[in-house]
Amino acid sequence: MDPLVPSDPTTKEYKEWRVSDLDGSSLTEIHMVLSTVVLSYWCWKCKTAAEFHRNPAKFSGRSWQHFVFECTVFLVPMFMALTEHYLYTTIAVLIGTGIYYRKQIPNAPYRADKWAPDPRADSFKQSFAPGKITPKSYLSIYRAEMMLLTCFCILAVDFNVFPLKFAKVETFGTSIMDLGVGSFVFSAGVVGAKSVLPKRVDGKIVAFSLWQQLKAGLRTSLPVLVLGIARFVLTESVDYQKHATEYGTHWNFFFTLGLLPICVPLGLSLCGDLRVTSMALLVVYQALYSLTPLGNWLEHADRTNIVAANREGIFSFVGYLAMFLLGMSLGQEVLPDAPTFKARRMRLVSVLGVWTTALISFFLFSFVLGIEPSRRFANAPYCFWVAGFNAAMLWVFMVIEEDVDSKLPPQLARAGRPAGYEVPVILEAINVNSLTTFLVANLLTGAINMQVETLLCTTVQSMFVLGGYTLMFMLPALLLYRSNIRLR
């Protein structure tokens, strides 16, 4: 063994060495693994719609049977895919199950005049009010699925059962955990668009000033920044392992999340079009990185001062801010209620446009200019990859919902749906308290690492611990949801 390589897997030095200099995995493999997320939702949606169609009066999405099915269809495939246990078998089973339940959904009643107005259009016109924002099930599922994957991976990476090719790469490359970090920021931006959209107050449409947006952003940021400080103090006090090239010596992800709401109003004040602002940020940042000595300094500088020591967190913030703004621009398209049924369907085109733009930009930077994605510095190819993937996921969720719901009779297709039909209970609980779930997952990850020698666990022990951990970080969200309490 190389004398410079730590030999004891229980030491901090070995754990830090183990996740250093990783190259990641291919885009094909990453997208293949994450296809299980979409297939899981498709299976659940088809089964739920089939049951609801058979007996709408007795349908209940809150039963124990439904809860067990949700855990089976969402958690088991995730475990199998992210630990490389029977990935292709898992995908095949999900496809077969989805086809089986999809065939159980009867077709919608035959319409002799296919050019006549869709009978569901009237309900849209009657319920629409300018400035009104009602929950969108595809958004809830998309956010909750991204959160579930992120929380699982932050502990799973500490076990041998989790392939290191899925862990964060050192500088250049792609991996599932790299995509997870960016997806967390992008999805937060999609929902964060609500803060800049005009609101309906006392029957009037009200737009908030820059100062009001700054105050609201500061209120949102303070608790997260406090969590960032607390995490830094705790990790230093217990000598917890950390990878300096991830965010820097003192910086952590909570600082990045906490600063975003403060900077967004400033970006809006420069240009009202979020897409223009985000694209300009990425192009300027990438030009400085590639055409000036900045890139070489970021990659190789010694950590001799506070800026150099935390250069990953400080400079990657520019990329994450652009990514957040890209998410907000998409949120402006999909969050407000659609005035007509046709407008609702046209959103599929809008999201597809974002996906296509991000994909073309990614290929331009990566394959034409030869710039590899870098999560470490959140460069332009990385941000466009994350934006394209998330837009694609959201688009597929929307298509699944539109396809399955279009099979229901008009009287079942829009109104009177019981709880548990639109969104699985476990995902809805995570969605309404996503930051709380993320905080609990981080605390549990630290506690488990201090009590369990994760690298010495067998495959069975690892799966047992990860299963218990997953249920434990979901439990507070489920209890809060059951009590109708929404923290953050």
Side-chain angles (χ1 to χ4, degrees), residues 88-105:
Y88 295 105
T89 303
T90 301
I91 293 174
V93 169
L94 287 173
I95 292 174
T97 305
I99 292 174
Y100 171 76
Y101 286 121
R102 178 67 174 74
K103 288 184 174 180
Q104 292 188 18
I105 307 174

Side-chain angles (χ1 to χ4, degrees), residues 282 285 316 318-320 323 374-380 382-383:
L282 285 176
Y285 175 49
S316 68
V318 179
Y320 285 122
M323 195 187 303
S374 172
R375 185 266 325 149
R376 180 181 174 186
F377 300 116
N379 64 359
Y382 170 71
C383 293

